[in-house]
Amino acid sequence: ETGVTQSPTHLIKTRGQQVTLRCSSQSGHNTVSWYQQALGQGPQFIFQYYREEENGRGNFPPRFSGLQFPNYSSELNVNALELDDSALYLCASSQQGADTQYFGPGTRLTVL
Amino acid sequence: GENVEQHPSTLSVQEGDSAVIKCTYSDSASNYFPWYKQELGKRPQLIIDIRSNVGEKKDQRIAVTLNKTAKHFSLHITETQPEDSAVYFCAATDSNYQLIWGAGTKLIIKP
């Protein structure tokens, strides 16, 4: 197992609500990337954080936002939830400039 | 931007036989190609990776080959076992070290 942790493990929300997901990176890693994995599909890159700033973004609307804290942990915030936001949300940590990413166990979000 | 295609989507092999999964990528600047194994309900786990300065890498029953000219890379699993059953994903990094993933291959090992 990696040293990357995520909370909560499962979450149920209704349309229009807001959600915050959390990720703690592996010791020594300063970069966190977030991915959305819909059922039966590969992960889709949402964004990456390095030194508390967004360092690249995939094709996701602005209602997906994030934060990184001085201890390198990170949050993913999603506003105005839609049914299609139901997915497994994965975070991965790495060292900036290094390519290997290690994944947390994910948060399963269900939007009703 | 980078695009990664993966084939086949489902692969069924007899226990003990070999399995091969293939991926192609579009960005010639990509230089890192990991393979992840994901069991149902679990996180993707890195099983092997290769960098663009290497053509082949092996780790026990698992090997990966890379053809930079053709822009494709493959995962080879020999002597397959029931615990190899899972979904396998290939990926490639773009110039910002962001992973672009294939759609996945469901590997079924028949007893």
Side-chain angles (χ1 to χ4, degrees), chain A residues 2 37 55 99 101 103, chain B residues 32 36 38 43 51 98 101:
Chain A
T2 70
Q37 186 177 23
N55 182 42
D99 36 34
Q101 296 186 19
F103 283 82
Chain B
Y32 175 66
Y36 286 86
Q38 188 175 32
R43 75 186 81 191
R51 291 172 176 80
Q98 293 158 7
W101 297 66

Side-chain angles (χ1 to χ4, degrees), chain B residues 6-49:
Chain B
Q6 182 172 348
H7 302 279
S9 57
T10 305
L11 178 60
S12 184
V13 301
Q14 205 69 38
E15 182 179 350
D17 288 350
S18 295
V20 180
I21 303 170
K22 299 181 179 181
C23 290
T24 60
Y25 61 98
S26 60
D27 187 351
S28 56
S30 292
N31 57 12
Y32 175 66
F33 308 91
W35 286 88
Y36 286 86
K37 175 183 180 183
Q38 188 175 32
E39 297 176 11
L40 192 62
K42 296 190 175 181
R43 75 186 81 191
Q45 288 191 303
L46 179 69
I47 56 171
I48 196 167
D49 56 16

